[in-house]
Amino acid sequence: METLFVTESRELLFTGTEDIDVRPLHSPVLHYEGDSREVALRAAHEAAAASKVEACQRGFARWVATVSEITLDGEEFTESEETVNTVDPLDRVPELRTLAREAAARRADGKIIRDIAGATEPVGSARCGGDVYSLYRVEGSAFGDFTCYRVGRAPYNGTLYLPAGFHDYGIATLRGLFAALEGGQCEFLCEYQDEIDGVYHGLFEKRI
């Protein structure tokens, strides 16, 4: 008898009701195969740590790592195989599971990100200091109603800035946005230290 430990990862999509294999016709990515359980577990944690959780139209995608213990007989045929550990990046941000489940309960067509992000209406765009600022109003999102904007070289394009904490500053016009930014009366962000805030930004990046 011989025991092998195998660490692999697959890209899975959590739809709010189940996990779906994003690449069912592809083999999983192999990270380790050998006789060390400790090395296999470490490889799983390293693989999951390197994976980002990303918002897709129908859920949250990430690479989930698993460690399998395989027992081979004397002729190297598999006698038994058991998953001994699973490391899921989504466990780092459990709030996303809750969001997905709630959205799936409300949305029959499975497009849960659309439900979480709400409806977006462009307010207008104007040039300021060589850049074009485009203002949007978001309503009915899982985080409430708020105003956000993009800055780029063309209208309704460029870097997306979301209000810190999804606070609604009540900005209704570009003139009001410029006045608020100049006076330091509000805080908008495009970069985040916390992983979950980065996922939220990516979510709205796909919808706005």
Side-chain angles (χ1 to χ4, degrees):
M1 293 290 184
E2 180 184 3
T3 299
L4 285 178
F5 294 94
V6 178
T7 301
E8 299 174 319
S9 63
R10 282 191 175 276
E11 188 176 17
L12 301 181
L13 178 73
F14 182 60
T15 66
T17 58
E18 62 180 338
D19 275 318
I20 296 176
D21 191 341
V22 176
R23 307 165 190 268
L25 301 180
H26 292 74
S27 299
V29 176
L30 178 64
H31 300 281
Y32 174 78
E33 181 177 333
D35 59 3
S36 174
R37 182 189 185 99
E38 181 181 352
V39 174
L41 292 173
R42 184 165 64 246
H45 283 280
E46 290 174 351
S51 173
K52 293 182 178 180
V53 178
E54 296 184 354
C56 302
Q57 186 180 45
R58 295 182 177 275
F60 296 101
R62 73 281 184 220
W63 286 85
V64 178
T66 58
V67 178
S68 300
E69 182 177 342
I70 302 173
T71 302
L72 305 175
D73 63 15
E75 298 180 357
E76 296 192 350
F77 288 103
T78 300
E79 184 168 293
S80 66
E81 180 173 349
E82 178 185 2
T83 299
V84 295
N85 195 31
T86 300
V87 187
D88 189 341
L90 201 55
D91 291 339
R92 300 194 300 256
V93 280
E95 300 94 330
L96 296 180
R97 289 190 189 275
T98 302
L99 271 180
R101 290 189 179 110
E102 292 174 348
R106 294 188 297 266
R107 191 108 192 174
D109 63 3
K111 298 178 181 179
I112 65 172
I113 299 304
R114 182 176 296 180
D115 183 274
I116 295 170
T120 301
E121 289 293 334
V123 176
S125 62
R127 186 172 296 277
C128 180
D131 290 316
V132 177
Y133 285 70
S134 301
L135 189 66
Y136 302 85
R137 182 67 181 172
V138 176
E139 295 187 346
S141 83
F143 313 98
D145 302 340
F146 59 88
T147 301
C148 60
Y149 66 94
R150 285 186 182 275
V151 181
R153 295 299 180 182
Y156 306 110
N157 204 341
T159 303
L160 176 65
Y161 286 79
L162 296 175
F166 295 105
H167 182 75
D168 188 2
Y169 293 105
I171 298 172
T173 64
L174 283 159
R175 186 183 297 274
L177 173 65
F178 294 147
L181 293 176
E182 184 177 353
Q185 303 168 9
C186 55
E187 183 181 11
F188 288 84
L189 303 172
C190 66
E191 296 181 354
Y192 304 88
Q193 292 184 342
D194 292 339
E195 180 177 15
I196 192 167
D197 291 330
V199 176
Y200 291 155
H201 188 273
L203 185 155
F204 283 100
E205 184 73 58
K206 296 180 185 299
R207 294 294 306 155
I208 297 176

